[in-house]
Amino acid sequence: GRIEVKQGYGGSVPIEFKPSLGELLQPPNKAMSVKEYDAALARMQGFQRVESPYTSSKSMASIGKALMKQSSFRPIGGAEIDASKSLRMIGLLPVGKEPVMVKFEPASNGGKIIVCCDHVVAINSILSLVKRAVSS
């Protein structure tokens, strides 16, 4: 949104409100199994996929909660987030309802983040959002 604040005869000052892409994501329309999620993730290659290592002493549960607080991502595979297992999350882009998938593969003191989406421009924005959630 955009608001213009007028100051008497001195002109105006434009103020813009720009929510992050993570806040604009929509929750998925239907439930997806871990098997379906992993199959869809495996199909995405090249420009549709970005991988990045991360280091953190946080648990998978706290990373998941931080990411859900900063965005509209939803976990796959039930509400329980197990520290020893991969964390899978999904959201839909507001236009076109294309899925945005994020997977955390844990290792000692960190692991690997995988972000997949058909919309190439969205991937870097989502990866930045995810890294902020891990480091916050």
Side-chain angles (χ1 to χ4, degrees):
R2 183 180 174 138
I3 297 174
E4 245 180 82
V5 178
K6 301 229 180 222
Q7 300 173 337
Y9 296 107
S12 64
V13 176
I15 302 172
E16 292 186 354
F17 298 95
K18 294 182 181 180
S20 72
L21 182 57
E23 292 173 330
L24 295 174
L25 292 176
Q26 304 294 312
N29 299 331
K30 62 176 185 155
M32 181 183 271
S33 71
V34 171
K35 189 175 181 178
E36 292 171 322
Y37 182 92
D38 286 343
L41 196 73
R43 283 193 302 268
M44 294 190 172
Q45 300 296 324
F47 290 116
Q48 300 170 319
R49 183 184 193 101
V50 174
E51 297 182 9
S52 177
Y54 74 93
T55 55
S56 178
S57 59
K58 287 183 169 184
S59 68
M60 277 292 130
S62 64
I63 290 174
K65 286 178 185 175
L67 189 56
M68 286 189 289
K69 188 182 278 188
Q70 295 180 15
S71 68
S72 299
F73 278 110
R74 297 291 173 254
I76 298 290
E80 292 296 317
I81 299 173
D82 188 352
S84 63
K85 296 182 181 176
S86 296
L87 172 60
R88 296 165 179 87
M89 303 191 89
I90 191 168
L92 301 176
L93 290 175
V95 177
K97 304 295 182 204
E98 296 173 21
V100 178
M101 295 183 257
V102 175
K103 183 177 181 182
F104 291 88
E105 294 180 347
S108 61
N109 293 328
K112 180 169 63 169
I113 301 168
I114 301 170
V115 178
C116 292
C117 179
D118 283 332
H119 199 279
V120 177
V121 177
I123 288 179
N124 289 327
S125 176
I126 295 297
L127 182 60
S128 295
L129 170 80
V130 170
K131 284 186 172 186
R132 278 194 310 270
V134 169
S135 66
S136 66

